[in-house]
Amino acid sequence: MNFSGRNDAASANMKPIQVKLVLLGESAVGKSSIVLRFVNNEYQDNKEPTIGAAFLTQRCKLDDRIIKFEIWDTAGQERFHSLAPMYYRNAQAAVIVYDITKPASLEKAKTWVKELQRQANPNIVIALVGNKIDLANNRSVPYEEAEAYANENGLLFFEASAKTGTNIIEVFTELAKKIPYEQILANNKTLNSRTNGQGDNGRVNLNESENNNQDGGQCNC
Amino acid sequence: MNIVDEDLVDVDLDDDSDYEDANQIDNYENINDNDCFFEIPLVEHSNIPFEVKDEDNIDYDKYGFKKSYKYIPKVRQEEYENYYQRILERREQKWNVLLEECNGEFPPMSSKLKRYIRKGIPGYIRSLCWFYYSGAKTEMENNPGLYEKLLNYERNERNKGLTKKDSTGLDCVYAVEKDLFRTFPDNKYFAVSESILTMNDNEENSTLPNKKFYINPYIGSLRNILVAFVYYSLPKSENGYEGTCYTIGYCQSLNYIAGLLLLIFAQSNEKMFKNNPTSIEEMCFWMFATLIDKILPKEMYGVNDMEGAVIEQELLWNLIIDENGRKFGVRKVAKWKKDMEKKNNIMNGMDDVPETHNLTKLGILTFKWMTTCFVGILPIETVLRIWDCVFAEEGYITILRVTLTLLRIYENDISKNDDELEGWDFINIYGDLF
Ligand SMILES: Nc1nc2c(ncn2[C@@H]2O[C@H](COP(=O)(O)OP(=O)(O)O)[C@@H](O)[C@H]2O)c(=O)[nH]1
Ligand SMILES: [Mg+2]
């Protein structure tokens, strides 16, 4: 897989497939830091708490497809929970994050998994991510425990670190590989014919504006 | 609701008569000497002297925030600062005259004073003005000793061996602690070193708060204010004081508001903050409590899913689409909103998703503006000018007015984007631009 900015010559005239991705998890587990690492390859100690939600995009190339991730980074505190369905409805992918030094954050992650399984798009692809492995000295969630849980529930599983960058790209790459694109395209086709009364060769036609605001936006893996 | 204030449509910077140099310092000291301050420093502030260090090659503004030249070049910013400095000096002179006329007391509210406040309260007297006109001073005087008592609530719970698992209060305190080092990390007063950050977390059942939060006095005071508010705003059934009319505890974004209050109060009463931080904290606490409980809409930060904040968004968007946006000059935003809704309905109808969560994506942005009272959204000086109006007399309506104004200023940018997501993205970037 190949992540690339929009200046990539080969991809310049390809229409990207939009993939809506949502990040969920307890406050301060590192959701915003993971997004920042993925989108800008940056890291900030003491990342400010997210209020409500933040929105970012990243374009990637997977095989012969261009994917535009629309990333919704949510606020972790319980009372923002009522806003969450707005972000995860219609999402094709979810990254549920916990902190490997905080067992309670895995419990919270499990409740998110349940909520998504119950209420989100049934084809949603979910990755469970144990963040902050740079703090392995303070680990209190064993790798095997979380992995077993992920396997039981059909989730992708990673341990990662936004701080060092370990495994961050991998999370998004593996997610991107598992997304049922044919289905998205088919859905969009129906949607388009509903909207315009005509099909459109299966192309995503919801948002084609090319005035993408990403500057940087480049990463190769 | 009177969003347009007929009183003050015409605000003119050159409207007053001559001035004399009043001795503002006197006035300021008088108020500080008020006898309702505590003698006992109850706070766990550390004895290790804490040095505020400037990083090399970094410019700070007068509030200690790192300057960024990412969007507006340094020269332009400096030009503007010089220009604005002259205005500030002028306002200060005007205020001096006004206070002189009132023998150093704060004058009663009048349309002249309101106009003065709108044009900006001078920095040296800002905190005391807010404190006086918001009613926080009265609240504090009516509740002597309460702040101290509230801080002891935490101690008592810990002494009883409670943990965050069996106490709502301590659970909120834990949530507060998660955000302490994350509040204004770019401000030199709030910044903490790597060595503090990596200090160990407390044992679950420790009877004292973790020392690491009290090495930097600003962080320590911020913790105290927020912790006092946790217990102030919890119901009696949860070992709280039930001081607010609905249950809050702690909500993210309150850290920014309390943090900015603290910064302003500590900066303009520097000596006092050094010698007796508790007295500054106490004033900030009452400012904070007055804002949340008396000035802002009910349930804005409540455990009840922040219902109030969500309702405010609905109200705002109703104002916007009212008369197709003509009422507040946001026609393009109104049209854009309707188009987006149409599109969403088609999508949602197809997906069979219940329309229970009706905020538009731009609504989430205005949600953030309102719950933070613009801290971190607009430049600091702008936020302070807005807060001048919020605290001294005009209240919450100011927040609504500013929100509408921002949407109006950026309405071309918003409506240019035919997809709601792109619109959101755009605004987000503009948010940084200020
Ligand atoms: N050591 C370490 N700290 C991290 C990592 N990711 C995030 N953090 C820190 O954890 C805190 C919370 O991060 P943030 O991304 O805001 O979490 P969110 O609330 O889930 O969005 C911040 O102080 C980050 O600097 C990581 O991989 N390792
Ligand atoms: Mg976040």
Side-chain angles (χ1 to χ4, degrees):
Chain A
M1 172 149 174
N2 174 5
F3 287 80
S4 61
R6 65 197 167 98
N7 297 330
D8 188 300
S11 59
N13 48 12
M14 247 194 278
K15 298 261 159 111
I17 303 179
Q18 282 192 196
V19 172
K20 183 174 168 189
L21 180 148
V22 63
L23 274 102
L24 299 164
E26 200 181 84
S27 167
V29 294
K31 297 178 294 299
S32 303
S33 302
I34 288 175
V35 181
L36 201 65
R37 174 61 78 189
F38 176 58
V39 173
N40 292 337
N41 199 18
E42 285 170 4
Y43 176 78
Q44 188 186 335
D45 275 320
N46 303 332
K47 184 92 191 66
E48 293 97 337
T50 313
I51 309 303
F55 173 70
L56 295 101
T57 59
Q58 174 67 298
R59 286 175 184 234
C60 320
K61 213 170 133 208
L62 175 68
D63 305 331
D64 55 347
R65 286 197 175 94
I66 309 273
I67 297 157
K68 182 179 170 197
F69 275 119
E70 294 183 334
I71 305 170
W72 288 91
D73 172 23
T74 64
Q77 213 193 348
E78 193 58 35
R79 69 192 64 188
F80 292 95
H81 196 129
S82 65
L83 302 177
M86 195 162 46
Y87 308 116
Y88 65 64
R89 77 174 169 203
N90 305 326
Q92 285 98 17
V95 176
I96 299 182
V97 187
Y98 69 94
D99 174 346
I100 64 152
T101 70
K102 301 246 150 56
S105 69
L106 179 60
E107 294 313 308
K108 180 67 202 172
K110 290 179 183 173
T111 67
W112 278 118
V113 173
K114 277 194 208 109
E115 179 162 342
L116 290 191
Q117 286 173 340
R118 212 173 45 238
Q119 297 190 41
N121 165 2
N123 299 311
I124 192 167
V125 187
I126 305 175
L128 179 69
V129 176
N131 190 35
K132 309 197 184 179
I133 41 166
D134 55 291
L135 302 177
N137 286 344
N138 295 330
R139 173 194 287 278
S140 40
V141 179
Y143 181 93
E144 295 73 22
E145 181 193 327
E147 189 193 34
Y149 170 80
N151 288 341
E152 272 163 40
N153 287 274
L155 319 172
L156 293 167
F157 176 65
F158 298 88
E159 283 194 341
S161 166
K163 184 165 184 166
T164 62
T166 311
N167 255 350
I168 299 297
I169 300 285
E170 285 75 0
V171 170
F172 292 87
T173 310
E174 293 307 313
L175 273 172
K177 284 186 191 160
K178 287 195 69 177
I179 287 166
Y181 295 101
E182 303 314 324
Q183 205 160 353
I184 297 180
L185 294 174
N187 268 347
N188 284 325
K189 196 168 165 184
T190 336
L191 179 59
N192 283 331
S193 48
R194 284 242 208 139
T195 324
N196 323 327
Q198 57 177 52
D200 178 323
N201 298 333
R203 267 196 302 186
V204 187
N205 195 20
L206 283 175
N207 169 21
E208 296 298 2
S209 63
E210 282 296 314
N211 57 345
N212 190 321
N213 295 304
Q214 292 300 313
D215 38 356
Q218 298 225 1
C219 61
N220 290 304
C221 53
Chain B
M1 185 175 314
N2 185 14
I3 299 217
V4 181
D5 189 339
E6 318 287 341
D7 250 24
L8 287 166
V9 226
D10 182 27
V11 177
D12 170 14
L13 274 175
D14 297 311
D15 55 348
D16 313 297
S17 43
D18 306 0
Y19 60 87
E20 283 165 35
D21 229 357
N23 189 350
Q24 72 271 27
I25 304 303
D26 269 357
N27 177 54
Y28 163 89
E29 303 241 290
N30 283 345
I31 297 169
N32 278 355
D33 284 341
N34 199 313
D35 55 5
C36 54
F37 295 116
F38 298 126
E39 302 291 315
I40 330 140
L42 137 291
V43 202
E44 291 282 307
H45 279 289
S46 146
N47 296 325
I48 313 164
F50 185 82
E51 292 271 344
V52 176
K53 282 189 223 85
D54 288 12
E55 282 174 47
D56 294 340
N57 304 322
I58 290 196
D59 295 337
Y60 294 91
D61 68 18
K62 62 179 168 185
Y63 305 102
F65 288 98
K66 282 182 193 165
K67 283 191 182 174
S68 160
Y69 304 118
K70 195 166 155 195
Y71 300 105
I72 303 167
K74 189 169 176 168
V75 245
R76 280 282 295 117
Q77 287 191 30
E78 281 171 357
E79 256 171 46
Y80 183 78
E81 274 163 25
N82 287 335
Y83 158 80
Y84 191 61
Q85 185 56 34
R86 287 199 298 278
I87 296 183
L88 287 180
E89 280 160 20
R90 180 189 183 78
R91 295 317 305 160
E92 189 166 323
Q93 287 158 354
K94 301 248 177 200
W95 273 81
N96 289 346
V97 177
L98 183 76
L99 293 173
E100 179 89 330
E101 280 166 8
C102 301
N103 308 316
E105 307 258 299
F106 283 117
M109 193 46 68
S110 64
S111 75
K112 178 177 175 186
L113 178 61
K114 198 162 154 185
R115 199 174 62 230
Y116 269 47
I117 290 167
R118 283 203 173 182
K119 290 179 183 180
I121 303 171
Y124 79 90
I125 205 173
R126 174 169 270 140
S127 57
L128 297 173
C129 240
W130 288 356
F131 190 54
Y132 178 81
Y133 288 109
S134 65
K137 185 169 187 280
T138 314
E139 286 289 318
M140 186 167 107
E141 284 163 0
N142 290 343
N143 293 284
L146 181 58
Y147 178 68
E148 197 177 347
K149 203 170 121 193
L150 289 167
L151 282 177
N152 276 322
Y153 278 45
E154 182 197 359
R155 209 74 55 83
N156 293 343
E157 291 213 312
R158 287 181 186 274
N159 282 333
K160 281 189 215 150
L162 298 177
T163 66
K164 67 177 191 297
K165 290 195 189 71
D166 34 42
S167 148
T168 315
L170 291 177
D171 191 46
C172 291
V173 170
Y174 175 70
V176 166
E177 287 179 344
K178 281 203 256 189
D179 289 350
L180 287 176
F181 296 137
R182 307 210 273 157
T183 307
F184 306 145
D186 275 351
N187 184 288
K188 66 177 178 186
Y189 301 105
F190 283 81
V192 290
S193 65
E194 185 75 23
S195 60
I196 297 178
L197 276 181
T198 49
M199 279 169 74
N200 264 343
D201 284 340
N202 242 17
E203 296 296 304
E204 274 278 285
N205 48 10
S206 164
T207 53
L208 285 173
N210 193 319
K211 282 264 185 299
K212 74 173 172 182
F213 298 119
Y214 289 98
I215 296 170
N216 174 329
Y218 280 83
I219 301 285
S221 290
L222 178 61
R223 185 184 187 281
N224 285 350
I225 295 166
L226 290 171
V227 166
F229 189 76
V230 164
Y231 289 99
Y232 183 69
S233 66
L234 286 181
K236 294 219 162 70
S237 58
E238 299 188 281
N239 294 336
Y241 177 75
E242 214 167 270
T244 49
C245 58
Y246 59 99
T247 303
I248 303 173
Y250 173 68
C251 178
Q252 289 183 320
S253 74
L254 292 182
N255 60 319
Y256 295 123
I257 296 174
L260 186 58
L261 282 172
L262 175 64
L263 186 67
I264 297 305
F265 274 69
Q267 291 287 284
S268 53
N269 305 279
E270 225 178 323
K271 233 186 357 205
M272 198 168 170
F273 183 59
K274 242 198 168 117
N275 299 331
N276 184 4
T278 313
S279 62
I280 295 293
E281 280 169 26
E282 193 192 13
M283 291 167 83
C284 292
F285 169 79
W286 286 109
M287 281 301 302
F288 185 65
T290 304
L291 174 71
I292 307 303
D293 196 45
K294 303 260 155 63
I295 299 178
L296 296 181
K298 299 282 165 272
E299 292 285 3
M300 190 95 160
Y301 303 94
V303 274
N304 197 6
D305 286 339
M306 307 181 74
E307 194 179 51
V310 175
I311 291 171
E312 282 310 306
Q313 303 319 305
E314 284 169 21
L315 193 127
L316 171 76
W317 285 95
N318 283 338
L319 289 176
I320 290 168
I321 56 174
D322 205 18
E323 297 175 22
N324 289 323
R326 275 193 299 272
K327 197 160 181 179
F328 299 107
V330 286
R331 251 193 277 194
K332 287 176 189 159
V333 183
K335 176 166 186 312
W336 174 84
K337 162 84 159 82
K338 283 203 168 147
D339 293 348
M340 289 308 131
E341 246 168 25
K342 230 181 269 165
K343 202 160 170 178
N344 272 340
N345 283 344
I346 294 166
M347 286 177 67
N348 295 333
M350 197 178 91
D351 284 347
D352 212 20
V353 178
E355 263 305 324
T356 41
H357 302 278
N358 241 336
L359 283 187
T360 64
K361 296 188 183 77
L362 201 55
I364 298 157
L365 194 71
T366 51
F367 176 95
K368 183 165 158 177
W369 294 354
M370 290 183 176
T371 50
T372 55
C373 295
F374 299 107
V375 183
I377 309 287
L378 298 175
I380 182 79
E381 199 67 46
T382 315
V383 176
L384 296 175
R385 292 284 301 274
I386 294 168
W387 283 23
D388 284 346
C389 301
V390 171
F391 286 131
E393 154 90 0
E394 301 197 60
Y396 172 69
I397 195 91
T398 313
I399 307 269
L400 216 48
R401 283 178 182 142
V402 173
T403 302
L404 277 167
T405 306
L406 284 174
L407 291 173
R408 183 169 166 165
I409 294 175
Y410 290 107
E411 95 166 334
N412 282 331
D413 301 314
I414 294 168
S415 59
K416 230 182 5 229
N417 296 289
D418 66 343
D419 182 279
E420 196 174 3
L421 281 179
E422 295 296 329
W424 154 279
D425 213 3
F426 209 88
I427 282 279
N428 233 357
I429 284 168
Y430 266 76
D432 291 340
L433 227 170
F434 275 102

